[in-house]
Amino acid sequence: PYWHQVSLFLSQLTGIQLGYSHAMKGKGKRILTTSDILTMNIFGDLEDLESALGDQDQLPNKVKGMGHCSALIRLLPLNSDLLVSHDTWNSYQSMLRLVKKYSLPFKKSLRSSSTVPGHTMSFSGYPGVIYSGDDFTIASSGLTILETTIGNSNRDLWKHLKPQSVLEGIRSTVANRLATDGRSWTKWFSKHNSGTYNNQWMVVDYNKFNPGEPKLQKDLLWILEQIPGYIQLGDMTKVLEEQNYWPSYNTPYFKDVFNMSGDFNLMKQY
């Protein structure tokens, strides 16, 4: 199923390019290539590749204040409701953001007759980009998936980047389509970690939430944090139940990720 979904992602990009070329034919304007469309869809990965391959003396993005996402999962009193919110801000060029709804009844694999659980997705996104990228996605599987970027400020970790991997936007799309719960989402997403566009992911499984139920069901909230060469994940429902909320603001929750990503050293230095 995994590589079939990767193939479908790339086929969709090709389809966008072919449709765009047909629409622009004879208008005397530059035609976007498939490479152009692909570049638009890996913008988050390119940010980290710039840090990994560029000037090693530049300040980490966090020091320059380039983190720009906040998320909040809020459990209302008496467990009456569970709210999920995401806020992102960026440059003026990003004001083309729009809400998309994809209904794509893809099969799980080339020879399967079963439709993927995440066949319908609503998400915030951009023209020409086929996944959220912010990220905020609501899937027909009952999952709501969001993230804030934690980045990587430890230059030693860039050595784990390798071509034999799958970029983040593709992996998140595969997981959004194939997952049936938070645990399986993290399993699918963890495959072939590219070490780029390093985020804290939150997966809320509304199939496991019943308003007014006195105790939350396990596996309601899964958290995954990725940095180059390392992924940590877990069921954080107990934390949500104890705090009544889960905040996310471009900073790792897991101590190992916080220390390995260089955030601990930045905290001491700045």
Side-chain angles (χ1 to χ4, degrees), residues 1-8 105-117 177-178 188:
Y2 186 91
W3 293 111
H4 178 60
Q5 299 304 319
V6 171
S7 175
L8 289 173
F106 293 136
K107 302 305 178 184
K108 290 183 179 179
S109 66
L110 193 60
R111 294 177 177 83
S112 173
S113 60
S114 301
T115 303
V116 294
R177 289 177 181 168
L178 292 176
W188 288 116

Side-chain angles (χ1 to χ4, degrees), residues 37-268:
I37 301 295
L38 176 62
T39 300
M40 292 165 58
N41 278 269
I42 60 171
F43 60 92
D45 301 278
L46 290 176
E47 290 178 7
D48 276 345
L49 288 173
E50 181 182 11
S51 298
L53 303 174
D55 183 4
Q56 297 300 302
D57 294 325
Q58 65 180 343
L59 288 173
N61 288 337
K62 281 197 172 182
V63 178
K64 295 185 287 186
M66 293 181 67
H68 54 257
C69 284
S70 298
L72 180 66
I73 300 169
R74 181 71 165 94
L75 186 64
L76 295 190
L78 303 177
N79 296 352
S80 60
D81 207 347
L82 181 62
L83 307 180
V84 176
S85 63
H86 186 278
D87 182 71
T88 182
W89 59 95
N90 210 321
S91 58
Y92 281 115
Q93 69 179 12
S94 300
M95 290 181 70
L96 291 173
R97 183 179 289 111
L98 64 156
V99 174
K100 297 184 180 183
K101 181 178 181 180
Y102 282 176
S103 295
L104 301 171
F106 293 136
K107 302 305 178 184
K108 290 183 179 179
S109 66
L110 193 60
R111 294 177 177 83
S112 173
S113 60
S114 301
T115 303
V116 294
H119 54 79
T120 302
M121 289 184 278
S122 297
F123 55 91
S124 59
Y126 307 85
V129 180
I130 64 174
Y131 63 101
S132 174
D134 286 338
D135 286 76
F136 183 90
T137 302
I138 301 172
S140 54
S141 56
L143 304 181
T144 294
I145 307 104
L146 61 160
E147 55 86 357
T148 71
T149 300
I150 58 178
N152 171 49
S153 302
N154 180 359
R155 293 189 179 96
D156 291 338
L157 293 185
W158 293 130
K159 66 186 178 185
H160 295 293
L161 270 60
K162 56 184 180 181
Q164 296 79 17
S165 60
V166 179
L167 295 177
E168 183 270 356
I170 303 176
R171 288 185 291 122
S172 64
T173 300
V174 170
N176 289 347
R177 289 177 181 168
L178 292 176
T180 55
D181 53 26
R183 185 187 298 271
S184 62
W185 192 97
T186 60
K187 182 197 77 169
W188 288 116
F189 182 82
S190 297
K191 292 177 179 291
H192 310 290
N193 176 16
S194 61
T196 52
Y197 204 8
N198 296 289
N199 300 317
Q200 178 191 91
W201 287 91
M202 297 147 274
V203 185
V204 179
D205 187 353
Y206 275 97
N207 299 307
K208 292 181 169 59
F209 179 73
N210 296 312
E213 197 170 58
K215 186 173 179 59
L216 298 182
Q217 298 181 38
K218 68 176 184 178
D219 295 327
L220 172 63
L221 172 64
W222 270 75
I223 301 298
L224 179 149
E225 292 179 348
Q226 169 199 297
I227 52 177
Y230 185 72
I231 287 178
Q232 188 167 350
L233 52 89
D235 177 10
M236 294 291 113
T237 306
K238 187 174 179 60
V239 176
L240 173 64
E241 191 164 42
E242 292 174 348
Q243 296 184 163
N244 292 324
Y245 69 95
W246 178 277
S248 184
Y249 36 81
N250 305 114
T251 298
Y253 170 82
F254 297 119
K255 184 176 180 180
D256 288 346
V257 178
F258 184 83
N259 292 339
M260 292 171 63
S261 67
D263 277 16
F264 182 76
N265 291 334
L266 290 181
M267 180 182 68
K268 292 192 300 182

